[in-house]
Amino acid sequence: MPRVVVLTGAGISAESGLRTFRDADGLWEGHRPEDVATPEAYQRDPLLVHRFYDARRAALLGVRPNAAHEALAQLEAALGDDLFLITQNVDDLHERGGSGRVVHLHGELRSAWCLACGARHLWEGSLGSAPPCPSCAVRALRPDIVWFGEPPYWMPEVLEAVEAADVFCAIGTSGLVYPAAGLGELAAARGARTIELNLDASANASRFHEVRRGPASLLVPQWVDEVLGE
Ligand code: BV8
């Protein structure tokens, strides 16, 4: 079986009803997400940033994984450790769609990180109310999200998987944010076949060996069937 690396972005969750970063208006409460997803914004106005993430964490309760998430879970069931699934998304739809191993490069909405003791906790509710850390009781919990200017999680493991890949597939990402946006080229440089499944042209579409245009809920199940049929 081929060693497959998949990188997903907000587009794979769009048909489940979660907004992408670059939706038509691209604003949230009048702010650009890029201006809220930064340590500076959190320093300047923690409540605004908490409101941004509390709203998105709450929105998870009202959405469900779609056929694209479920197809990637089938791919994992067939390939096992030969599939390495990286997501830039902070939602839990891959897990709820059946994927058992999901590498969240940019953190997760359902995790809280204590700046006093360093502990991370599964978190379902609001952080804006400054709740005490379950481990140390200090009211220093922040969203466990990788903001702009912060180092992505799991990069050593990600680079190892990308460099060893036979196939690299990017799904539903605009290819604008690094280092995630550079992984396809790295895979190609190491000999992998690269494919992009996306609704519109991404910023780095020209660097993929193959590009397919369309909604993830249609393209991903088709592509998974092809990979499993090989
Ligand atoms: C770092 C979590 C270093 C937050 C996110 C200048 C040049 C190059 C780079 C930089 C630069 N200045 C700064 C940088 C680095 C910076 C960066 O790349 N900036 C960009 C804007 C230029 N990167 C960073 O800061 C990263 N960290 O570099 O650290 C370092 C190293 C060591 C030590 C210290 C520091 C960290 C970046 C992570 C930021 N956090 N997310 C949150 O979620 O709130 S980024 C966020 O936006 C996403 O996670 C994702 O990564 C990124 C892009 O979003 P997408 O997922 O692609 O979604 P988008 O809306 O853009 O696109 C959706 C796509 O789906 C579209 O193409 C659309 O066509 C498609 N689509 C829509 N519907 C469908 C669909 N496709 C299929 N089916 C559909 N139905």
Side-chain angles (χ1 to χ4, degrees):
M1 285 292 216
R3 284 167 305 193
V4 178
V5 172
V6 173
L7 171 70
T8 64
I12 199 170
S13 299
E15 290 162 271
S16 293
L18 291 182
R19 290 184 52 184
T20 69
F21 279 81
R22 285 154 192 87
D23 269 339
D25 51 5
L27 288 182
W28 174 82
E29 285 193 1
H31 302 275
R32 289 185 331 124
E34 295 87 303
D35 297 336
V36 181
T38 68
E40 295 74 22
Y42 189 63
Q43 285 298 327
R44 192 172 52 244
D45 187 348
L47 266 185
L48 171 80
V49 176
H50 276 309
R51 223 175 32 244
F52 179 52
Y53 289 100
D54 284 355
R56 290 170 66 194
R57 192 175 305 108
L60 293 180
L61 303 173
V63 296
R64 295 208 32 74
N66 64 58
H69 298 105
E70 288 159 357
L72 292 178
Q74 286 157 13
L75 188 61
E76 180 189 75
L79 295 187
D81 288 346
D82 282 336
L83 172 67
F84 193 89
L85 174 58
I86 310 162
T87 187
Q88 301 169 88
N89 299 339
V90 293
D91 63 55
D92 61 344
L93 291 178
H94 280 301
E95 290 86 349
R96 288 166 55 198
S99 291
R101 185 175 72 156
V102 185
V103 176
H104 282 273
L105 200 62
H106 294 159
E108 298 176 70
L109 283 170
R110 296 172 74 240
S111 175
W113 178 21
C114 178
L115 294 179
C117 71
R120 283 176 165 82
H121 300 280
L122 175 67
W123 205 267
E124 312 263 358
S126 149
L127 285 172
S129 48
C133 166
S135 299
C136 72
V138 176
R139 295 176 183 278
L141 292 168
R142 65 160 268 187
D144 187 11
I145 299 278
V146 176
W147 286 328
F148 288 96
E150 298 186 322
Y153 293 154
W154 306 108
M155 279 308 287
E157 294 80 357
V158 162
L159 293 174
E160 187 183 347
V162 168
E163 288 171 357
D166 299 308
V167 177
F168 180 94
C169 178
I171 303 168
T173 179
S174 58
L176 290 169
V177 173
Y178 288 81
L183 297 176
E185 277 181 84
L186 175 61
R190 293 286 197 285
R193 195 155 44 85
T194 60
I195 180 170
E196 174 182 278
L197 310 178
N198 214 50
L199 196 61
D200 315 310
S202 74
N204 51 6
S206 61
R207 309 244 247 286
F208 284 82
H209 296 127
E210 184 185 356
V211 171
R212 295 182 188 172
R213 287 272 159 278
S217 64
L218 201 67
L219 296 185
V220 179
Q222 284 171 348
W223 174 71
V224 165
D225 286 346
E226 288 169 22
V227 172
L228 296 183
E230 274 174 4

